[in-house]
Amino acid sequence: KPAVLETKAPMPRATIIEFFDACNARLDLPETCEGLLELFSKTVQREKRGDAIAQMQRDQLEILGFESKHGCAMLERIPQDFAADKELQARL
């Protein structure tokens, strides 16, 4: 994780793709699957299950150099900022 995280600049397309690829790869790891299955078996509330995945995604944003709240805001803008980009839209 970089020492200084981005808090203002837009997220480049390449970083967005890297984010999606990294999250998918992380979810495919046996240790991630095992950890989530264990958590899910102990967690009844669906929202709390989703929180674990959301935290993993926020951590990934910071690994890529974007402060998590800013990174989430940039990801939410994909439909507006990349409206004509079919590949990026499909990754959502």
Side-chain angles (χ1 to χ4, degrees), residues 13 26 31 34 43-45 65 69 75 79 85:
R13 181 184 188 279
R26 199 165 170 186
E31 58 267 26
E34 290 167 10
T43 307
V44 177
Q45 294 175 317
K69 286 183 185 176
L75 293 173
D85 191 326

Side-chain angles (χ1 to χ4, degrees), residues 49-64:
R49 291 177 176 186
D51 288 347
I53 294 172
Q55 184 58 53
M56 181 200 70
Q57 292 169 331
R58 287 190 291 272
D59 292 344
Q60 189 61 48
L61 285 167
E62 295 201 350
I63 289 168
L64 294 173

Side-chain angles (χ1 to χ4, degrees), residues 25-36:
R26 199 165 170 186
L27 284 170
D28 284 341
L29 292 173
E31 58 267 26
T32 302
C33 292
E34 290 167 10
L36 288 173

